[in-house]
Amino acid sequence: HRIWRSWAPGKCRFFMWLVAHDRCWTADWLARRGLPPYCDQAEESINHLLLFCVFARDFWFSLLQSVGLQILAPQIGEEFFDDWWEKVILAVGGQLQKGLNSLVIIGVWTIWNHRGFDVVPACLTRALLLASEELQLWGLARAKGILYLFTQSSL
């Protein structure tokens, strides 16, 4: 429901479906193809890349802080991305919930693209800039809740 009813491009919704079904190319998939893993900090999984990795934790805190919701950033002890995502969405309501859902989808898309396809080392500032630009574009396209998310954060 969070994926298919979201205000997100089809490519992002499809990718979120891959994440939810653990079908993303992580270390085991990449090793079979002779490619290096995205993160060399620990045994790599989609949960690690999107939730546990130091880069991901910093990214989520900073992105959520930009809308005044840093309290919802992933905490130590959270095991699965999908469980964290559900908890975050249930923590708010109404239009804020729709905006936050879009923010999480943009965040995941940004982390994956930034960590997986950039040839330069991961840069938190650059990733946050990319996510911010994407949020602005979705807001201009009248993405439900994104404009509300930013107007509420400025209060």
Side-chain angles (χ1 to χ4, degrees):
H1 178 75
R2 287 182 311 232
I3 296 171
W4 301 115
R5 292 191 180 231
S6 69
W7 180 272
K11 64 183 179 183
C12 295
R13 287 185 286 175
F14 179 72
F15 179 72
M16 292 303 293
W17 181 88
L18 292 174
V19 168
H21 290 89
D22 198 21
R23 298 288 186 224
C24 297
W25 283 27
T26 52
D28 56 341
W29 288 62
L30 294 170
R32 282 184 258 158
R33 288 154 181 82
L35 299 169
Y38 302 127
C39 181
D40 59 359
Q41 295 175 12
E43 185 176 318
E44 187 180 82
S45 69
I46 197 63
N47 289 308
H48 173 78
L49 285 175
L50 299 179
L51 201 62
F52 303 133
C53 179
V54 172
F55 177 83
R57 285 190 179 280
D58 289 345
F59 176 82
W60 287 119
F61 180 83
S62 298
L63 186 63
L64 289 164
Q65 185 179 39
S66 72
V67 294
L69 295 172
Q70 64 272 16
I71 191 81
L72 299 176
Q75 302 296 313
I76 294 176
E78 306 212 63
E79 294 187 38
F80 300 103
F81 173 78
D82 195 49
D83 292 344
W84 171 75
W85 184 17
E86 183 176 6
K87 183 183 89 171
V88 165
I89 296 304
L90 294 176
V92 297
Q95 288 295 320
L96 191 57
Q97 192 175 58
K98 292 177 182 179
L100 189 55
N101 193 49
S102 294
L103 182 95
V104 170
I105 292 171
I106 288 170
V108 167
W109 184 250
T110 302
I111 289 172
W112 182 259
N113 282 303
H114 188 68
R115 296 298 303 270
F117 302 110
D118 280 354
V119 292
V120 296
C123 172
L124 181 62
T125 304
R126 185 163 177 257
L128 290 168
L129 179 64
L130 293 172
S132 175
E133 289 172 354
E134 195 72 24
L135 280 166
Q136 288 174 6
L137 290 173
W138 285 21
L140 290 172
R142 303 276 189 235
K144 295 177 182 168
I146 287 191
L147 298 175
Y148 186 79
L149 185 67
F150 282 98
T151 58
Q152 291 302 302
S153 68
S154 64
L155 296 178

